[in-house]
Amino acid sequence: MRGLTREHLVDIVAKFEPCPENLQHMVLGIDGFTNYMRSPAGDIFNPEHNQVNQDMTQPLTNYFIATSHNTYLTGDQLLSQSRVEMYAYVLQAGCRCVEVDCWDGPDGEPIIHHGYTLTSKILFKDVVETINKYAFTKSPYPVILSIENHCTVPQQKKMAEYLKEVLQDKLDLTNVSGHECKKLPSPELLKGKILVKGKKLPANLGPDAEEGDVSDEDTGNEEEDDSDDSDNDLQDGNGAESTNQPKKKRRFGRSIIRSFKRKRKKKIRMKNKTMSDGESDHNSSRERAQIVYHPKKRKTMRLSRALSDLVKYTKSVRVHEIETQGFLSSWQVSSLNETVVNQILQLKPAELVRFNQRQLLRVYPSNFRVDSSNFNPQPYWNTGCHMAAFNPMMEDPLPGHKKTQLMLKIISGQQLPKPKDSMFGDRGEIIDPFVEVEIIGLPVDCSKQQTRVVDDNGFNPMWEETLVFSIQMPHIALVRFQVWDHDPIGRDFIGQRTVAFTSMMPDFSGVHLEKDG
């Protein structure tokens, strides 16, 4: 081992060497070395990385932010329960951006739930109190409160009142100065602060105006991304809303029908586009390169001055064109559906990287994920998307960039468990283990290699094999170790461990397996 002090090495020998003679000579025997490798001290993960070890003094746009989507939901997106406790859960797990979908509630009290569904409702005030209690129990760095605002002005004023009363100095940003050229402040400067992400009144509105209209260009709500056909669905032939069934059930049914209407229309448009042969090659290419960031339908809403004034560095704005947006100010956040971002990744990946250098971008799950499943965030992280929102339940891409070589020598295993669902597990069969190592990161970096199979030895299998990987972007790469039991009809999972490349210790290390795959 390199870079260790003599005092540290003496401490290792004293802790793990059982032989008195070896202790006298300050050396590790085979038993002492085995004890060390199987202890937390010999783990592959760098213990210094259990604490924040990155430079936290750069603008907020230089960081990935742990983000949750529809934070309040305990299950699926249509019928599940909303719980205040979900905010405590995600914040204690390290989440730094939580979402609140706010609607008018009874008795003038704003509520939170997933609109136009049968999910249950919770009070906005209770959620704010929970956020205040748990925001900084796990991390001192800022929390972003992402507000999806569907409330009328009187209840917006109530929201602002609760935010100021409960969060108090956590909202006070007077001592936080942004960088020149309207760049965002750093996580270090924002320690202990809560940033309200929401809409903001236009700058040209008079300072005495208590409320004003927010145009479609100023909005960033997910609900509005799905309203293409809302006029036809919300009105009958006379333009009046039908009263044949309860309003809630009508909206719920329409929301489902609209989703599948949009999907069907999209397929029809794609089919017609494929069959069309009257356009020139130039026009066809240009048409394919167009990205629809949001529906073209314009909407306005009334916004309270009290709520607007709580938004400073995280103003919600729509994406109109990634090539030009964000040059004048970084004090804004945009949200895009995963489907749109996948389109951008195909057509304008370099422009997306540059866009993410200028302002914050949040990617949220497709509305077709009604089961609250989650996307693979790695492609979005690869292009610098800051906030990949989770439901709480090639040519060289970098010309001239020097590659990093990872050389792993897989030596042996110790006391490997039998597979959890092994067919003969209860009858005491001996496993035939092998190790698979996977690199997860840029597409060009993603690869897998495995060792040979060691027959009939789960106690101390010996592989003594070297696996070599070439990695373009080690700073975003993950290294996954998986151990499998080989059998003639397939393989059974034994355990895995995933470690960030930059958190791996050099030289001899132990990999402590986890049972979850």
Side-chain angles (χ1 to χ4, degrees):
M1 292 180 281
R2 294 170 292 185
L4 300 180
T5 63
R6 175 178 174 80
E7 291 75 14
H8 183 68
L9 296 175
V10 168
D11 185 55
I12 289 176
V13 174
K15 279 185 178 179
F16 300 105
E17 178 54 52
C19 176
E21 185 177 348
N22 287 341
L23 281 171
Q24 285 184 343
H25 293 87
M26 278 292 123
V27 296
L28 278 179
I30 185 62
D31 291 334
F33 181 71
T34 302
N35 291 339
Y36 170 75
M37 292 296 290
R38 292 178 57 192
S39 75
D43 193 79
I44 192 171
F45 188 83
N46 187 342
E48 294 180 0
H49 289 195
N50 284 316
Q51 306 294 326
V52 175
N53 60 90
Q54 296 89 354
D55 175 11
M56 303 302 286
T57 63
Q58 301 180 35
L60 206 57
T61 45
N62 289 18
Y63 300 88
F64 297 119
I65 302 170
T67 304
S68 65
H69 173 255
N70 289 352
T71 310
Y72 47 89
L73 289 181
T74 58
D76 67 71
Q77 301 288 304
L78 301 178
L79 302 169
S80 67
Q81 295 293 305
S82 303
R83 290 280 186 266
V84 173
E85 294 80 10
M86 291 301 294
Y87 290 89
Y89 169 74
V90 300
L91 288 169
Q92 290 180 100
C95 182
R96 296 290 87 190
C97 177
V98 295
E99 184 176 18
V100 289
D101 289 347
C102 304
W103 300 79
D104 281 356
D107 303 321
E109 290 292 332
I111 57 173
I112 293 174
H113 78 116
H114 197 197
Y116 309 121
T117 70
L118 299 181
T119 56
S120 62
K121 302 172 178 64
I122 52 179
L123 290 175
F124 176 81
K125 182 181 181 182
D126 292 344
V127 168
V128 175
E129 289 174 343
T130 301
I131 292 171
N132 181 59
K133 182 177 180 180
Y134 292 98
F136 304 108
T137 57
K138 179 70 174 180
S139 168
Y141 294 107
V143 169
I144 298 174
L145 181 58
S146 180
I147 294 180
E148 296 289 349
N149 180 15
H150 306 278
C151 293
T152 56
V153 169
Q155 296 211 12
Q156 290 178 31
K157 291 180 178 179
K158 198 76 171 178
M159 290 166 56
E161 178 185 327
Y162 287 144
L163 288 169
K164 288 186 284 189
E165 283 182 0
V166 176
L167 301 179
Q168 298 183 16
D169 62 337
K170 295 183 178 70
L171 291 178
D172 183 8
L173 300 174
T174 54
N175 295 326
V176 178
S177 58
H179 291 67
E180 296 178 2
C181 303
K182 281 281 191 176
K183 286 189 177 181
L184 288 168
S186 69
E188 188 67 30
L189 283 175
L190 292 168
K191 273 185 175 180
K193 299 298 181 181
I194 293 179
L195 306 178
V196 177
K197 170 186 167 291
K199 304 171 187 178
K200 198 164 178 64
L201 290 174
N204 59 4
L205 191 68
D208 297 330
E210 291 297 317
E211 59 187 74
D213 286 330
V214 180
S215 69
D216 184 62
E217 285 78 8
D218 298 322
T219 63
N221 283 353
E222 298 170 23
E223 299 289 340
E224 295 169 1
D225 291 348
D226 305 316
S227 56
D228 307 43
D229 309 305
S230 57
D231 281 350
N232 293 332
D233 292 328
L234 289 172
Q235 298 179 348
D236 62 17
N238 298 321
E241 191 174 315
S242 171
T243 57
N244 293 333
Q245 54 181 326
K247 186 176 181 181
K248 181 178 179 182
K249 290 185 177 178
R250 280 202 310 276
R251 287 183 172 179
F252 175 70
R254 284 196 299 267
S255 68
I256 302 299
I257 293 170
R258 278 204 303 272
S259 294
F260 288 98
K261 271 188 177 182
R262 287 193 298 276
K263 193 171 185 180
R264 183 171 179 269
K265 285 184 178 182
K266 183 178 179 182
K267 288 182 178 179
I268 292 173
R269 286 197 298 268
M270 291 177 65
K271 183 178 180 182
N272 290 340
K273 184 177 175 182
T274 304
M275 294 175 63
S276 175
D277 56 2
E279 298 178 308
S280 67
D281 290 343
H282 173 75
N283 289 337
S284 297
S285 175
R286 185 176 180 180
E287 177 68 22
R288 284 195 299 270
Q290 290 180 348
I291 300 170
V292 180
Y293 299 102
H294 303 279
K296 294 182 180 179
K297 182 178 177 180
R298 289 177 174 268
K299 297 176 66 177
T300 60
M301 67 168 290
R302 298 294 287 177
L303 179 62
S304 159
R305 167 74 67 182
L307 191 58
S308 171
D309 286 348
L310 296 180
V311 178
K312 183 174 182 181
Y313 295 117
T314 46
K315 173 187 175 184
S316 292
V317 299
R318 285 200 164 195
V319 175
H320 294 286
E321 189 48 67
I322 62 172
E323 286 95 335
T324 58
Q325 187 168 316
F327 275 109
L328 296 179
S329 174
S330 292
W331 294 11
Q332 56 192 36
V333 185
S334 299
S335 295
L336 288 176
N337 187 293
E338 63 172 295
T339 306
V340 176
V341 181
N342 288 339
Q343 232 186 330
I344 300 173
L345 289 174
Q346 292 295 319
L347 298 174
K348 300 181 178 181
E351 290 87 342
L352 181 59
V353 171
R354 288 191 284 271
F355 175 83
N356 286 325
Q357 292 171 342
R358 299 192 296 269
Q359 71 155 76
L360 294 175
L361 178 63
R362 171 178 168 270
V363 184
Y364 62 89
S366 163
N367 289 326
F368 293 111
R369 295 184 180 272
V370 293
D371 60 347
S372 291
S373 60
N374 286 307
F375 49 63
N376 174 15
Q378 192 68 50
Y380 311 130
W381 289 339
N382 289 347
T383 51
C385 296
H386 313 87
M387 295 183 278
F390 285 90
N391 291 307
M393 276 220 12
M394 172 190 271
E395 290 179 350
D396 186 349
L398 300 169
H401 185 81
K402 187 177 180 181
K403 297 181 180 180
T404 298
Q405 187 179 74
L406 173 63
M407 183 179 295
L408 295 171
K409 185 170 184 179
I410 310 298
I411 301 173
S412 68
Q414 294 289 323
Q415 299 179 7
L416 300 177
K418 295 172 184 176
K420 181 179 179 182
D421 300 318
S422 176
M423 184 181 300
F424 303 107
D426 294 336
R427 294 165 57 182
E429 98 282 10
I430 301 175
I431 63 173
D432 305 320
F434 68 93
V435 180
E436 180 181 77
V437 180
E438 178 182 8
I439 306 299
I440 305 168
L442 287 179
V444 71
D445 288 338
C446 293
S447 62
K448 292 181 181 179
Q449 294 184 44
Q450 67 182 53
T451 66
R452 61 184 174 83
V453 175
V454 175
D455 294 327
D456 298 331
N457 190 347
F459 183 71
N460 59 349
M462 299 290 293
W463 289 287
E464 292 285 353
E465 292 188 38
T466 300
L467 310 179
V468 180
F469 299 89
S470 184
I471 303 175
Q472 282 273 3
M473 285 288 286
H475 293 293
I476 61 172
L478 305 175
V479 183
R480 189 182 196 202
F481 299 85
Q482 294 185 90
V483 180
W484 300 87
D485 175 24
H486 174 77
D487 66 57
I489 59 172
R491 62 183 189 176
D492 293 315
F493 176 76
I494 294 176
Q496 69 87 29
R497 180 76 180 277
T498 304
V499 183
F501 177 88
T502 54
S503 292
M504 291 176 61
M505 295 288 286
D507 302 310
F508 287 105
S509 298
V511 179
H512 292 73
L513 298 178
E514 297 170 352
K515 294 182 180 179
D516 295 332

